[in-house]
PDB file of all heavy atoms in Angstrom:
ATOM      1  N   VAL A 551     -10.180 140.258 -52.294  1.00  0.00           N
ATOM      2  CA  VAL A 551      -9.782 139.637 -53.561  1.00  0.00           C
ATOM      3  C   VAL A 551     -10.817 138.607 -54.001  1.00  0.00           C
ATOM      4  O   VAL A 551     -11.212 138.546 -55.173  1.00  0.00           O
ATOM      5  CB  VAL A 551      -8.393 138.990 -53.422  1.00  0.00           C
ATOM      6  CG1 VAL A 551      -8.060 138.164 -54.663  1.00  0.00           C
ATOM      7  CG2 VAL A 551      -7.332 140.041 -53.203  1.00  0.00           C
ATOM      8  N   THR A 553     -13.968 138.387 -53.300  1.00  0.00           N
ATOM      9  CA  THR A 553     -15.311 138.913 -53.575  1.00  0.00           C
ATOM     10  C   THR A 553     -15.357 139.918 -54.717  1.00  0.00           C
ATOM     11  O   THR A 553     -16.408 140.084 -55.349  1.00  0.00           O
ATOM     12  CB  THR A 553     -15.892 139.582 -52.315  1.00  0.00           C
ATOM     13  OG1 THR A 553     -14.979 140.589 -51.851  1.00  0.00           O
ATOM     14  CG2 THR A 553     -16.109 138.556 -51.223  1.00  0.00           C
ATOM     15  N   GLY A 554     -14.225 140.607 -54.993  1.00  0.00           N
ATOM     16  CA  GLY A 554     -14.331 141.664 -55.994  1.00  0.00           C
ATOM     17  C   GLY A 554     -13.255 141.692 -57.045  1.00  0.00           C
ATOM     18  O   GLY A 554     -13.458 142.274 -58.116  1.00  0.00           O
ATOM     19  N   SER A 555     -12.127 141.090 -56.833  1.00  0.00           N
ATOM     20  CA  SER A 555     -11.007 141.222 -57.771  1.00  0.00           C
ATOM     21  C   SER A 555     -11.260 140.413 -59.032  1.00  0.00           C
ATOM     22  O   SER A 555     -11.772 139.294 -58.989  1.00  0.00           O
ATOM     23  CB  SER A 555      -9.709 140.757 -57.104  1.00  0.00           C
ATOM     24  OG  SER A 555      -8.659 140.813 -58.037  1.00  0.00           O
ATOM     25  N   GLU A 556     -10.875 141.011 -60.175  1.00  0.00           N
ATOM     26  CA  GLU A 556     -10.970 140.321 -61.447  1.00  0.00           C
ATOM     27  C   GLU A 556      -9.609 139.801 -61.894  1.00  0.00           C
ATOM     28  O   GLU A 556      -9.497 139.215 -62.976  1.00  0.00           O
ATOM     29  CB  GLU A 556     -11.538 141.273 -62.520  1.00  0.00           C
ATOM     30  CG  GLU A 556     -12.944 141.746 -62.235  1.00  0.00           C
ATOM     31  CD  GLU A 556     -13.951 140.595 -62.222  1.00  0.00           C
ATOM     32  OE1 GLU A 556     -13.723 139.603 -62.931  1.00  0.00           O
ATOM     33  OE2 GLU A 556     -14.968 140.686 -61.500  1.00  0.00           O
ATOM     34  N   ASP A 557      -8.586 140.037 -61.089  1.00  0.00           N
ATOM     35  CA  ASP A 557      -7.243 139.594 -61.414  1.00  0.00           C
ATOM     36  C   ASP A 557      -7.143 138.089 -61.110  1.00  0.00           C
ATOM     37  O   ASP A 557      -7.135 137.680 -59.945  1.00  0.00           O
ATOM     38  CB  ASP A 557      -6.213 140.372 -60.595  1.00  0.00           C
ATOM     39  CG  ASP A 557      -4.792 140.109 -61.063  1.00  0.00           C
ATOM     40  OD1 ASP A 557      -4.558 139.031 -61.645  1.00  0.00           O
ATOM     41  OD2 ASP A 557      -3.929 140.972 -60.839  1.00  0.00           O
ATOM     42  N   VAL A 558      -7.080 137.299 -62.165  1.00  0.00           N
ATOM     43  CA  VAL A 558      -7.103 135.852 -61.997  1.00  0.00           C
ATOM     44  C   VAL A 558      -5.872 135.357 -61.247  1.00  0.00           C
ATOM     45  O   VAL A 558      -5.968 134.491 -60.372  1.00  0.00           O
ATOM     46  CB  VAL A 558      -7.213 135.169 -63.379  1.00  0.00           C
ATOM     47  CG1 VAL A 558      -7.102 133.648 -63.219  1.00  0.00           C
ATOM     48  CG2 VAL A 558      -8.520 135.532 -64.049  1.00  0.00           C
ATOM     49  N   ASP A 559      -4.702 135.923 -61.575  1.00  0.00           N
ATOM     50  CA  ASP A 559      -3.477 135.472 -60.912  1.00  0.00           C
ATOM     51  C   ASP A 559      -3.514 135.784 -59.419  1.00  0.00           C
ATOM     52  O   ASP A 559      -3.102 134.964 -58.587  1.00  0.00           O
ATOM     53  CB  ASP A 559      -2.258 136.135 -61.555  1.00  0.00           C
ATOM     54  CG  ASP A 559      -2.065 135.706 -63.007  1.00  0.00           C
ATOM     55  OD1 ASP A 559      -2.458 134.560 -63.314  1.00  0.00           O
ATOM     56  OD2 ASP A 559      -1.550 136.492 -63.812  1.00  0.00           O
ATOM     57  N   LYS A 560      -4.006 136.965 -59.093  1.00  0.00           N
ATOM     58  CA  LYS A 560      -4.094 137.347 -57.690  1.00  0.00           C
ATOM     59  C   LYS A 560      -5.120 136.477 -56.958  1.00  0.00           C
ATOM     60  O   LYS A 560      -4.921 136.097 -55.798  1.00  0.00           O
ATOM     61  CB  LYS A 560      -4.470 138.826 -57.595  1.00  0.00           C
ATOM     62  CG  LYS A 560      -4.315 139.414 -56.203  1.00  0.00           C
ATOM     63  CD  LYS A 560      -4.536 140.919 -56.231  1.00  0.00           C
ATOM     64  CE  LYS A 560      -4.292 141.557 -54.860  1.00  0.00           C
ATOM     65  NZ  LYS A 560      -4.485 143.018 -54.886  1.00  0.00           N
ATOM     66  N   TRP A 561      -6.189 136.162 -57.655  1.00  0.00           N
ATOM     67  CA  TRP A 561      -7.243 135.320 -57.062  1.00  0.00           C
ATOM     68  C   TRP A 561      -6.679 133.919 -56.764  1.00  0.00           C
ATOM     69  O   TRP A 561      -6.927 133.350 -55.705  1.00  0.00           O
ATOM     70  CB  TRP A 561      -8.396 135.240 -58.061  1.00  0.00           C
ATOM     71  CG  TRP A 561      -9.675 134.683 -57.510  1.00  0.00           C
ATOM     72  CD1 TRP A 561     -10.634 135.342 -56.819  1.00  0.00           C
ATOM     73  CD2 TRP A 561     -10.132 133.331 -57.636  1.00  0.00           C
ATOM     74  NE1 TRP A 561     -11.667 134.507 -56.495  1.00  0.00           N
ATOM     75  CE2 TRP A 561     -11.381 133.250 -56.989  1.00  0.00           C
ATOM     76  CE3 TRP A 561      -9.612 132.186 -58.222  1.00  0.00           C
ATOM     77  CZ2 TRP A 561     -12.117 132.078 -56.922  1.00  0.00           C
ATOM     78  CZ3 TRP A 561     -10.354 131.019 -58.159  1.00  0.00           C
ATOM     79  CH2 TRP A 561     -11.587 130.968 -57.507  1.00  0.00           C
ATOM     80  N   LYS A 596     -13.288 130.750 -60.601  1.00  0.00           N
ATOM     81  CA  LYS A 596     -13.280 131.697 -61.719  1.00  0.00           C
ATOM     82  C   LYS A 596     -12.466 131.177 -62.891  1.00  0.00           C
ATOM     83  O   LYS A 596     -12.798 131.431 -64.042  1.00  0.00           O
ATOM     84  CB  LYS A 596     -12.714 133.047 -61.249  1.00  0.00           C
ATOM     85  CG  LYS A 596     -13.636 133.794 -60.300  1.00  0.00           C
ATOM     86  CD  LYS A 596     -13.081 135.176 -59.987  1.00  0.00           C
ATOM     87  CE  LYS A 596     -14.039 135.946 -59.098  1.00  0.00           C
ATOM     88  NZ  LYS A 596     -13.526 137.313 -58.807  1.00  0.00           N
TER      89      LYS A 596
END
Side-chain angles (χ1 to χ4, degrees):
V551 172
T553 55
S555 177
E556 297 297 331
D557 189 335
V558 175
D559 295 330
K560 192 173 184 179
W561 193 83
K596 290 186 177 181

